[in-house]
């Protein structure tokens, strides 16, 4: 597996917490020294482990926001 680095540059919000204490978080993360992106993924209670997630540019997040605003939930 390829090595990678990350830095959480801003903790924005906890979206949910599951029964085992893992939190689904929205953060700004710089992957491999690149510009930070918005990132949604689950983190272990102590923050040492992460699950698979998704990273979005500001433009992608804006598009998603527009789509969600148009949806009837």
């Amino acid at each position: 597996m390829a090595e990678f680095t990350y830095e959480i540059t801003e903790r924005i919000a906890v979206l949910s917490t599951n029964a085992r204490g893992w939190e689904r978080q929205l953060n700004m993360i710089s992957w491999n020294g690149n510009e930070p992106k918005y990132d949604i993924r689950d983190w272990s209670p102590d923050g040492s482990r992460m699950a698979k997630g998704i990273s979005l540019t500001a433009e992608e997040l804006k598009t998603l926001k527009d789509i969600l605003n148009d949806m009837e939930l």
Side-chain angles (χ1 to χ4, degrees):
M1 185 182 299
E3 292 290 320
F4 67 93
T5 61
Y6 69 93
E7 177 187 1
I8 299 174
T9 60
E10 182 181 355
R11 294 186 186 275
I12 299 171
V14 173
L15 304 177
S16 64
T17 304
N18 72 20
R20 294 181 29 205
W22 282 60
E23 294 180 338
R24 181 155 300 150
Q25 300 178 5
L26 172 63
N27 298 312
M28 290 292 292
I29 299 183
S30 170
W31 297 98
N32 296 319
N34 293 311
E35 282 294 314
K37 292 183 177 184
Y38 292 93
D39 187 85
I40 300 171
R41 72 184 62 243
D42 293 347
W43 291 87
S44 65
D46 66 0
S48 66
R49 294 175 42 209
M50 69 179 92
K52 290 182 180 180
I54 183 169
S55 294
L56 303 166
T57 64
E59 185 61 31
E60 290 168 331
L61 186 65
K62 181 188 177 310
T63 300
L64 178 59
K65 178 182 178 285
D66 292 343
I67 291 166
L68 293 173
N69 284 339
D70 291 342
M71 291 175 62
E72 289 186 34
L73 300 176

